[in-house]
Amino acid sequence: MKIRFDDLTLPEGGAIVITAAKDGSLSGSAVAVDKALDGAVGRALAASRFKGNVGDQLVLHSPGDGKFDRVVLLGLGNPKDFGVLAAQKAGGRALAALNGTGAKTATLLLDLAKNAEIGGGDAAAHAGFGALLRSYRFDKYRTKEEPEQKPTMRRIVIGSPNAAASRKAFKPLEKVAGGVFMTRDLVSEPANILYPETLAEQGAALRELGVEVEILDEDAMRELGMGALLGVGQGSKRESKLLVMQWKGGGATKDPVAFVGKGVTFDTGGISIKSAAGMEDMKWDMGGAGVVVGLMKALAGRKAKCNAVGVAGLVENMPSGNAQRPGDIVTSMSGQTIEVLNTDAEGRLVLADALWYTQDRFKPQLMVNLATLTGAIIIALGSENCGLFSNNDELAERIMAAGKAVGEHAWRMPLGDGYDKQLNTDVADMKNIGGREAGSITAAQFLQRFVNDMPWAHLDIAGVTWTKKNAATVPKGGTGFGVQMLNRLVEENYEG
Ligand code: BES
Ligand code: MN
Ligand code: ZN
């Protein structure tokens, strides 16, 4: 879908979106539209339950003399609460409403924003960003869908008090959306199409944007001693890979920031096999890797002035005659040995080697890893927050602030020696499960054993990677959660 910016003037016709604040008070543009239509908007408003609250909407088809074929009235609530995120959501809701009307193009007049926290061209730019984010759809395998069932919108023109400023502000946002879309695509692909090799190829496509990409195969990883990661993948016909991406947009002397993702392209549980119900969800067990790839795309796309490393451990966790058994003991790249008591606690094994490799090779100033690591984090936090675990208060605060700014929330969880002890075992340096209690925390403690004394954070994104219901800027399916948060983290703290 194309997003354009223009002046805040009434179009000749077509579909338009206008706004009202709480108590139904119409914006300047909405008043003008009402006048042009002989009071049709006001009459519709009076005859409806529209109150102008956030999320309220009224759709009129060819009202008044028919000058406009569709008029969508959108509630924006209290103007003083109308910030960046509200503008994004308004854009997303407008787009969804327009798709429902069958319109192909529309003009969005969002002039209420001038009373609010963001003025100038910013509100329009963020409305465009929200509309774009909501327009995402994974439909490449729907070959028989009737054209009338498909979303119709092709182009949206957003009226702005300063169209030039809006265009400028929208440029990097559009690149971020490109990263989010890539992540959504990756988590949406089924595991017969997306497996370690093909996911790595998707990462390699970022070379086009100037990202340096290496793909390590099993021989290379064996050479490095990555017995933990390789053990997870050994039951699969698909070869495990390590995807290594570097974006060098900062000075040559700056230590990079590093992002590490769990990329289990399908998690059957292995010999500790999962039950059948819902196992299809495990196609998105590569969500952490998906975010790392999408983030690198966003950073390179907007030519971020930073050095960033993205590493993804890519494996398929399958049961087979060659699969890892419960009780096997593996040696990780760090030299530490692990007793694998449950082959379904595989993400931490993959990350153990990916994290060690990343800090060993790149000596980054910080590491953030992302993983759909535990079902327990879904029980604890649901889908409102991802779990955040960190050994560094400053980094944790920065991540939470970045998340809040973009509407991707992280809730900090504890770490501590008592939890760490749950991983001790008699026959090896550690076991890969810590028992029923505090399952997300013991998983994080496990990861921490593979991180030296450096700022590190682990985001458990199991509850936020996939959604079954539409939200204003996130259609159901893969969310891309994490791309915006970490792009913002970099932008605010590690650029220039
Ligand atoms: N990939 C799963 C975690 C998961 C569950 C992600 C549901 C998204 C939705 C992970 O590999 C796993 O199986 N974790 C186990 C750990 C247990 C065996 C200690 C879990 O959470 O049950
Ligand atoms: Mn598992
Ligand atoms: Zn898993």
Side-chain angles (χ1 to χ4, degrees):
M1 199 185 61
K2 290 204 160 43
I3 312 278
R4 296 276 177 272
F5 298 93
D6 206 339
D7 298 333
L8 252 182
T9 49
L10 278 198
E12 288 300 311
I16 53 170
V17 180
I18 50 180
T19 62
K22 70 171 176 20
D23 307 324
S25 61
L26 296 175
S27 72
S29 298
V31 169
V33 169
D34 188 44
K35 257 203 197 117
L37 298 177
D38 260 339
V41 175
R43 285 194 300 278
L45 213 156
S48 75
R49 299 176 120 180
F50 183 93
K51 291 276 183 295
N53 292 328
V54 174
D56 281 3
Q57 59 182 49
L58 200 57
V59 179
L60 313 176
H61 288 263
S62 194
D65 64 359
K67 180 171 157 71
F68 301 107
D69 51 18
R70 287 107 171 164
V71 176
V72 176
L73 182 63
L74 212 58
L76 296 183
N78 191 338
K80 82 172 175 23
D81 301 330
F82 190 85
V84 165
L85 294 177
Q88 292 177 9
K89 287 179 181 166
R93 291 195 181 104
L95 189 269
L98 288 164
N99 271 329
T101 70
K104 290 196 178 72
T105 63
T107 305
L108 172 51
L109 303 169
L110 251 184
D111 47 332
L112 205 73
K114 68 175 181 290
N115 307 322
E117 145 198 341
I118 50 166
D122 265 7
H126 282 278
F129 183 52
L132 184 58
L133 288 172
R134 181 63 184 273
S135 74
Y136 175 84
R137 196 166 188 249
F138 186 77
D139 54 9
K140 62 193 279 201
Y141 299 113
R142 300 172 77 158
T143 68
K144 294 191 169 172
E145 196 178 16
E146 299 292 336
E148 304 80 64
Q149 307 299 118
K150 288 194 180 173
T152 47
M153 283 295 292
R154 296 283 165 270
R155 186 165 54 94
I156 193 162
V157 179
I158 303 180
S160 166
N162 186 343
S166 297
R167 279 179 211 117
K168 185 156 180 266
F170 185 66
K171 261 200 173 146
L173 295 174
E174 192 174 22
K175 298 299 181 187
V176 174
V180 171
F181 286 10
M182 182 161 194
T183 301
R184 290 178 181 174
D185 281 344
L186 291 171
V187 301
S188 302
E189 285 287 359
N192 60 325
I193 305 294
L194 197 81
Y195 45 90
E197 188 182 345
T198 53
L199 205 170
E201 280 165 9
Q202 294 286 316
L206 300 187
R207 283 177 184 140
E208 238 171 71
L209 299 175
V211 178
E212 290 174 28
V213 181
E214 296 155 73
I215 299 169
L216 278 60
D217 62 12
E218 289 187 354
D219 282 342
M221 289 191 277
R222 230 180 319 274
E223 197 70 33
L224 289 163
M226 294 191 172
L229 185 154
L230 289 168
V232 176
Q234 79 184 31
S236 171
K237 280 259 198 308
R238 311 290 198 187
E239 188 178 359
S240 301
K241 303 281 182 188
L242 191 78
L243 170 64
V244 183
M245 297 164 285
Q246 296 182 67
W247 169 249
K248 296 177 178 170
T253 56
K254 274 250 188 73
D255 290 337
V257 292
F259 302 98
V260 181
K262 166 180 172 179
V264 177
T265 58
F266 197 81
D267 180 14
T268 64
I271 296 300
S272 312
I273 198 163
K274 291 180 180 296
S275 53
M279 204 201 274
E280 65 276 8
D281 282 349
M282 290 300 105
K283 77 170 183 183
W284 47 262
D285 208 20
M286 36 53 66
V291 172
V292 171
V293 174
L295 173 66
M296 295 302 286
K297 176 166 178 163
L299 294 175
R302 67 174 183 78
K303 301 200 163 41
K305 290 184 181 54
C306 72
N307 296 326
V309 170
V311 173
L314 306 175
V315 304
E316 186 181 50
N317 188 21
M318 296 291 270
S320 82
N322 195 45
Q324 172 156 264
R325 295 145 291 254
D328 283 5
I329 297 175
V330 295
T331 303
S332 65
M333 184 181 173
S334 72
Q336 300 177 93
T337 58
I338 305 158
E339 183 185 19
V340 180
L341 286 181
N342 189 320
T343 64
D344 197 13
E346 85 296 340
R348 63 198 74 181
L349 297 168
V350 172
L351 284 173
D353 281 336
L355 284 166
W356 190 268
Y357 173 86
T358 303
Q359 74 179 353
D360 194 55
R361 173 169 169 193
F362 295 106
K363 316 276 186 281
Q365 47 174 314
L366 62 91
M367 279 199 296
V368 178
N369 74 257
L370 303 104
T372 49
L373 203 63
T374 65
I377 203 72
I378 311 177
I379 304 300
L381 300 177
S383 54
E384 292 296 313
N385 286 275
C386 72
L388 163 64
F389 301 82
S390 182
N391 61 2
N392 184 289
D393 290 344
E394 185 183 43
L395 177 58
E397 293 294 338
R398 287 176 171 182
I399 289 173
M400 288 188 287
K404 191 169 174 214
V406 302
E408 294 178 345
H409 299 279
W411 192 266
R412 191 160 182 194
M413 302 281 288
L415 290 164
D417 286 344
Y419 298 114
D420 187 73
K421 286 200 181 70
Q422 287 177 239
L423 296 170
N424 291 339
T425 179
D426 293 337
V427 302
D429 296 336
M430 71 196 84
K431 52 187 176 181
N432 76 328
I433 50 174
R436 246 177 68 79
E437 291 179 5
S440 300
I441 306 174
T442 53
Q445 293 293 162
F446 185 96
L447 300 182
Q448 198 180 7
R449 288 188 180 210
F450 297 87
V451 176
N452 292 331
D453 189 18
M454 65 173 309
W456 158 78
H458 152 54
L459 299 173
D460 193 334
I461 57 173
V464 295
T465 294
W466 191 267
T467 178
K468 294 201 161 99
K469 53 177 201 284
N470 287 322
T473 58
V474 187
K476 65 185 172 191
T479 62
F481 183 109
V483 174
Q484 292 188 65
M485 172 200 276
L486 296 177
N487 173 67
R488 174 83 180 198
L489 175 76
V490 170
E491 187 179 33
E492 287 286 290
N493 304 287
Y494 306 103
E495 275 189 68

